[in-house]
Amino acid sequence: MKTAILSLNGIWALSSREAGIKCPATVPGDNYTALEAVGLLPDPYYRLNEAECQWPVDKDWIFSRKFDVPCELLARPAVILEFTSVDTVADIVLNGHRVAHVENEFRRWRLEVKPYLKARGNRLEVRIRSIAGAIADSERKYPHDGVESFGCNTLHQIERLRKCQCSSGWDWGISLPVSGIYGDTLLFGADTATLEYAWDEQRHSRDAVRVTLSAELRPVDAAAAGDAVDVAFAFNGETKTVHAVVPRDCAPFTAQADFTVRNPELWWPNGFGAQPLYPFRVTAGGQTIERKIGLRTIEVVREKDDEGESFGFRVNGVDVFAKGVNWIPCEAHPSRRTDDRYAHLLQSVVDANMNMVRVWGGGLYEHDFFYDECDRLGILVWQDMMFACGMYPDWREFQDNVRAEIRHQVKRLRSHPSIALWCGDNELFWCSYLTRSAYALCDRLNCVEKDAIAESDPSRTFWPSSPCSGDRAYENNKDLNVGDAHLWGLPGGDHCVDSYLGSRARFISEFGFGSLPSLESIATFAEPGDLNLTSPVMENHTKKQGAYASFLSMISHYFRMPETFARTVWLSQVKQAYALQTVTENWHAQMPYTRGSMYWQLNQWWPVSDWSSIEHNGSWKPSHYAMRRVCKPLSASLSPAGQGKGRFFRVVWDLPLKLAATMRVSVRALDDGREVASFGAAVKFSGAGVKTLRLPDFTSDARARGGLAANACFAYAEVCGTDGLGRTHTFADAVFADLFRNCDIPDPGLAVSEVRKLQDGSFDIGVSAKAPSFFTWLHVADDPLGRFDDNLVALLPGKRFFRYRPGVNLTTAALRRRLTLTHL
Ligand code: BMA
């Protein structure tokens, strides 16, 4: 917030001389959204339209507008023109004067423009160089070898531009190479200095936290040297004013004030406690920054042991198993990255009992709202710097640009309690074919990042790359006993999960299994005639070569071949859920050797077949419900068929509390669910841990199956426990003794027995089953934001209630009409 602010958001004009185009454009916004709105581009997501939407990449674009300036603003000693983000290479021209040349979507631009302003009829132009042209300009200027893409984006050498790297396509992404102006654009007045950033540092002792608040100021011009600025810090009921003096060299300077919070209420990750936030405000020269901080310590713990070195997060002294997911930008059109979308996706993370997201390096340093929500919800953030899967330049100008970008982003974000770690990039060093010179190139960039981060936020760990093994040890990233790991391409991993169950790593920051989007999502981009996996439209809506073949391979390994397109779609989602759940359970049960697992990926950039657990329209895929189950604080798993190590029942408890639980496994007949054998035990935890119990192996031992054939039974495992705070935790799931496809699974005769609308608008839905039902899937048509309390579950014969919270207003009759039940 700044006094005497003039917002320049709103309707601008967008033009391209070469293309002979002039149309309105909303700022903040992008050229694609503007061109689509006036019919100059078709909907790029529909059928094969993507190919017709590539021409804007060759055009220069001008965003322009007129404005008047109120006299009180013009009367200030300095008037600053601020752009939160300009994408990407552009000249900023005010009343015919070029006031800046900018080359980085991830930097904020603050330009002193008072000399060029007048009271009425100002004209501001942002002349954005075509993306292809900007890359070509750079190639002419720096014709170095070395810059390279590892095959993910369609624009050759987009690595030369500091722009969202996936904007020209990824192995899940449409190529939508936008240009635009994002975030707020405004003018504000300043006297001596601008207030640039504000952050906190904390020192925790037994009953108190000492909080040092800092503000960074930048003198408006050289004449300000020696001038004084009063900087007021308001925090925790106190205000302290610091009289700061502009240094002689007129460099940016810092003012600080100390506070003590007694009996602090600590901030915890989701599941471990509450997220109290303490607001603070810094005011200087009529400018204000407001933040909310959380009081907590966070460490990345790396301790040598017999097998290598541990890797995990410790918050307020408590080890937190990271149950997380990777985040990509939530929409290809920057204009559609709305707060509602962020809120829904991040709420879905905590509703699925997760506590960490990784902001992946091929996308964006996210909007402020994203981090505010993570703070509020207790989601730890693994924050990559925005470099992914490529070889980046190392010439001086590029390095300086990167240094300024990182300083800005880290100082912008460092007061967020949710941010757990800064990471240098995504997979720059991972590719085994890196040559020595390429390696050295990456290393030089990494050193620039490391220094810029150390200087901007010494309080957090800098992790060089994901994956890697530590400081300048990125080359060692194949050693799973050290650092973080991306577990892709395990032998046979597209076919079944067995190779995953035989592997382990300290911290799995990526692994994943793909699926098709739901039929409802497919209907947004395809016509009935396109509904075939190898149709051109369906092929265009997967960007990973061979994806459908691998889906079919895994489907046919576990399940009987689907006979319809609809069944293929659904089984692709079920196999994704099954694989994610089984693998996550397995890693989770290796705690504390393994200290975190983050699957690839939460969300979608457009409607596509990819690895996400939430669809583009916000609806939860079966896999999101499965993750919600396995990420509960108390979970259990039976080592699944195919592992060949006998039978283990593993109970995992995540919280630093006592827990007394009982487990029960019943072996039941597939045809009617009758119990033929059972095993039970009591388990006690004194804190987080894993208990492993050996059971008779019902896959190989017919007695343990009560004489039933392996393909005629299943095991139903249940755990119920009470924690030290008196709360009850439950978990239940079914496990087969044979592959699903080998079993004759009866028709469970599912029926909706009743639907009751509750006062708050949600519904209780009774579902009855005559025989056991597996992967029971409830779906309400045309309500993507609606949510069940549980889904994709095994049902024993009888009746079970599900709670549904609709995303739209529904009558009971409408709900009944729209509700469908599916099963294996
Ligand atoms: C990774 C990511 C992405 C990619 C994903 C799926 O390793 O870092 O670059 O989209 O796998 O292939």
Side-chain angles (χ1 to χ4, degrees):
M1 266 176 24
K2 295 153 211 90
T3 50
I5 293 180
L6 178 70
S7 170
L8 297 175
N9 295 344
I11 304 297
W12 291 43
L14 173 71
S15 60
S16 159
R17 203 170 308 149
E18 299 157 89
I21 288 171
K22 183 150 191 188
C23 65
T26 302
V27 170
D30 58 273
N31 58 341
Y32 273 70
T33 303
L35 295 168
E36 282 172 57
V38 295
L40 290 170
L41 278 175
D43 169 7
Y45 299 169
Y46 180 69
R47 300 196 76 233
L48 301 170
N49 284 353
E50 178 182 0
E52 289 164 42
C53 296
Q54 300 306 306
W55 59 263
V57 82
D58 294 317
K59 309 283 178 270
D60 294 342
W61 295 98
I62 299 178
F63 284 78
S64 61
R65 67 162 291 161
K66 293 221 165 97
F67 61 92
D68 300 333
V69 186
C71 37
E72 64 273 22
L73 179 52
L74 220 42
R76 299 292 292 269
V79 182
I80 311 295
L81 170 61
E82 173 174 321
F83 289 93
T84 302
S85 169
V86 176
D87 183 12
T88 309
V89 177
D91 284 333
I92 314 287
V93 180
L94 178 58
N95 294 330
H97 302 275
R98 188 176 100 147
V99 292
H101 175 76
V102 300
E103 300 208 344
N104 193 328
E105 177 184 351
F106 309 126
R107 284 172 68 181
R108 176 179 70 184
W109 306 100
R110 284 183 158 184
L111 315 165
E112 183 1 4
V113 293
K114 181 166 170 174
Y116 312 109
L117 282 175
K118 48 193 182 183
R120 305 198 71 78
N122 293 281
R123 181 178 165 80
L124 177 61
E125 288 181 355
V126 179
R127 299 182 184 163
I128 302 181
R129 180 82 173 108
S130 84
I131 300 169
I135 294 173
D137 296 345
S138 160
E139 278 176 322
R140 268 192 299 275
K141 193 163 172 194
Y142 299 104
H144 293 45
D145 278 332
V147 181
E148 207 185 306
S149 305
F150 297 149
C152 284
N153 44 50
T154 56
L155 266 184
H156 177 63
Q157 298 208 348
I158 197 174
E159 289 77 8
R160 289 172 179 269
L161 301 187
R162 293 310 297 141
K163 153 177 193 66
C164 174
Q165 297 287 282
C166 64
S167 59
S168 66
W170 211 259
D171 62 359
W172 35 258
I174 185 174
S175 170
L176 210 70
V178 287
S179 299
I181 303 171
Y182 316 135
D184 287 330
T185 301
L186 49 94
L187 283 171
F188 69 93
D191 305 332
T192 312
T194 54
L195 182 56
E196 299 283 301
Y197 305 100
W199 65 85
D200 63 300
E201 278 156 282
Q202 303 173 13
R203 262 151 301 157
H204 288 243
S205 56
R206 244 185 102 70
D207 301 312
V209 179
R210 196 170 153 85
V211 176
T212 303
L213 299 181
S214 299
E216 185 177 299
L217 295 104
R218 178 180 290 273
V220 289
D221 57 29
D227 288 358
V229 188
D230 281 343
V231 185
F233 295 90
F235 177 64
N236 202 30
E238 279 181 274
T239 299
K240 296 189 176 176
T241 301
V242 177
H243 194 65
V245 177
V246 177
R248 219 178 296 157
D249 62 357
C250 266
F253 59 103
T254 304
Q256 290 188 328
D258 287 327
F259 297 81
T260 300
V261 181
R262 297 196 193 284
N263 304 316
E265 289 181 55
L266 298 183
W267 183 96
W268 290 96
N270 177 37
F272 286 76
Q275 291 79 39
L277 295 172
Y278 289 69
F280 81 80
R281 188 185 321 121
V282 183
T283 312
Q287 302 159 58
T288 302
I289 296 180
E290 287 178 325
R291 294 274 182 271
K292 286 180 184 160
I293 62 169
L295 303 178
R296 53 107 186 98
T297 61
I298 187 154
E299 298 156 78
V300 177
V301 178
R302 296 165 60 197
E303 284 159 355
K304 296 258 186 273
D305 57 26
D306 289 349
E307 292 169 286
E309 190 179 84
S310 70
F311 186 94
F313 292 88
R314 189 172 287 163
V315 181
N316 301 325
V318 173
D319 287 332
V320 173
F321 189 97
K323 291 188 280 194
V325 62
N326 284 270
W327 170 276
I328 60 172
C330 63
E331 161 62 48
H333 293 81
S335 310
R336 297 187 204 159
R337 294 175 194 147
T338 58
D339 287 357
D340 283 353
R341 260 176 133 127
Y342 284 103
H344 171 73
L345 289 165
L346 293 169
Q347 185 65 47
S348 298
V349 170
V350 300
D351 288 350
N353 299 308
M354 292 189 264
N355 56 28
M356 184 175 264
V357 294
R358 169 170 173 247
V359 179
W360 166 75
L364 302 167
Y365 304 95
E366 277 297 349
H367 294 188
D368 291 341
F369 184 73
F370 172 95
Y371 301 96
D372 290 343
E373 284 291 277
C374 290
D375 295 346
R376 189 177 69 78
L377 295 166
I379 303 173
L380 296 170
V381 177
W382 171 305
Q383 177 69 48
D384 282 1
M385 301 298 110
M386 293 301 123
F387 303 89
C389 307
M391 305 299 316
Y392 285 83
D394 73 338
W395 47 82
R396 190 57 192 266
E397 195 186 345
F398 187 86
Q399 288 189 349
D400 289 347
N401 200 4
V402 166
R403 198 174 287 112
E405 161 191 326
I406 290 179
R407 282 185 186 145
H408 167 60
Q409 293 295 345
V410 170
K411 287 181 182 175
R412 170 174 85 96
L413 298 176
R414 68 170 284 190
S415 64
H416 288 280
S418 54
I419 295 186
L421 160 141
W422 305 114
C423 171
D425 63 68
N426 175 73
E427 296 182 354
L428 258 52
F429 299 88
W430 193 48
C431 301
S432 47
Y433 51 83
L434 274 192
T435 59
R436 279 185 92 79
S437 60
Y439 181 86
L441 196 66
C442 290
D443 182 48
R444 283 200 288 280
L445 172 67
N446 209 262
C447 290
V448 170
E449 294 179 38
K450 184 183 172 185
D451 291 349
I453 288 174
E455 178 192 309
S456 312
D457 180 11
S459 75
R460 285 184 179 84
T461 297
F462 170 66
W463 188 244
S465 177
S466 185
C468 81
S469 311
D471 192 20
R472 298 189 86 178
Y474 3 76
E475 80 283 7
N476 194 19
N477 61 45
K478 295 287 184 292
D479 182 355
L480 303 182
N481 288 311
V482 185
D484 71 320
H486 291 190
L487 289 183
W488 294 98
L490 297 188
D494 279 349
H495 185 59
C496 70
V497 299
D498 292 358
S499 53
Y500 280 87
L501 302 180
S503 77
R504 62 180 199 155
R506 294 295 187 166
F507 192 100
I508 302 95
S509 41
E510 276 189 21
F511 72 103
F513 301 94
S515 84
L516 283 142
S518 66
L519 278 184
E520 262 176 39
S521 293
I522 292 173
T524 65
F525 62 76
E527 294 299 328
D530 302 320
L531 302 186
N532 183 297
L533 272 197
T534 48
S535 73
V537 168
M538 291 307 296
E539 282 290 346
N540 193 50
H541 285 76
T542 175
K543 298 296 180 187
K544 173 82 181 161
Q545 242 190 348
Y548 295 143
S550 86
F551 293 179
L552 290 174
S553 168
M554 195 179 278
I555 288 173
S556 59
H557 177 79
Y558 287 111
F559 306 110
R560 295 202 181 163
M561 274 312 268
E563 282 160 12
T564 61
F565 182 73
R567 186 76 177 172
T568 309
V569 167
W570 186 71
L571 279 181
S572 81
Q573 298 202 332
V574 172
K575 71 96 188 160
Q576 178 195 32
Y578 175 74
L580 271 184
Q581 163 164 353
T582 310
V583 172
T584 303
E585 278 170 350
N586 184 55
W587 284 331
H588 208 165
Q590 294 179 31
M591 177 170 94
Y593 172 89
T594 301
R595 301 256 6 116
S597 116
M598 297 201 274
Y599 66 94
W600 183 270
Q601 93 246 23
L602 179 72
N603 53 321
Q604 293 198 320
W605 161 260
W606 68 311
V608 67
S609 291
D610 64 1
W611 300 263
S612 66
S613 63
I614 299 185
E615 308 214 20
H616 185 250
N617 63 6
S619 74
W620 284 21
K621 288 182 184 174
S623 53
H624 207 77
Y625 285 102
M627 291 312 291
R628 171 176 160 92
R629 208 159 34 240
V630 293
C631 290
K632 283 177 165 192
L634 177 67
S635 63
S637 59
L638 278 169
S639 49
Q643 207 178 352
K645 287 187 194 152
R647 279 282 152 190
F648 294 97
F649 189 80
R650 298 174 301 183
V651 184
V652 182
W653 171 241
D654 266 341
L655 301 180
L657 295 170
K658 284 189 180 154
L659 179 90
T662 49
M663 49 142 285
R664 185 165 194 280
V665 179
S666 50
V667 180
R668 292 166 177 270
L670 265 181
D671 54 2
D672 62 1
R674 73 184 179 282
E675 191 173 302
V676 295
S678 72
F679 315 94
V683 280
K684 274 196 172 12
F685 291 86
S686 52
V690 182
K691 302 277 180 204
T692 303
L693 305 159
R694 187 181 274 276
L695 300 180
D697 185 353
F698 77 106
T699 50
S700 60
D701 178 355
R703 267 175 317 167
R705 300 192 300 261
L708 290 176
N711 66 355
C713 68
F714 67 100
Y716 192 72
E718 296 164 272
V719 193
C720 180
T722 306
D723 71 17
L725 302 175
R727 299 175 303 184
T728 303
H729 300 267
T730 58
F731 182 91
D733 208 4
V735 182
F736 276 52
D738 204 342
L739 292 168
F740 303 113
R741 67 172 150 84
N742 290 338
C743 304
D744 287 322
I745 298 171
D747 180 348
L750 292 181
V752 176
S753 58
E754 60 183 294
V755 176
R756 282 199 302 257
K757 187 162 186 175
L758 309 176
Q759 289 250 303
D760 65 358
S762 54
F763 294 89
D764 272 348
I765 301 169
V767 175
S768 64
K770 292 203 177 76
S773 171
F774 302 99
F775 299 112
T776 315
W777 176 244
L778 288 77
H779 176 67
V780 176
D782 301 322
D783 185 18
L785 303 185
R787 183 92 57 77
F788 288 95
D789 61 344
D790 201 2
N791 212 340
L792 201 77
V793 292
L795 291 183
L796 299 178
K799 185 157 113 180
R800 174 172 164 183
F801 277 95
F802 293 84
R803 173 75 48 93
Y804 184 65
R805 205 188 64 221
V808 293
N809 245 335
L810 285 179
T811 61
T812 308
L815 180 87
R816 272 187 178 268
R817 245 190 343 266
R818 294 195 199 182
L819 178 65
T820 49
L821 304 174
T822 312
H823 58 85
L824 193 60

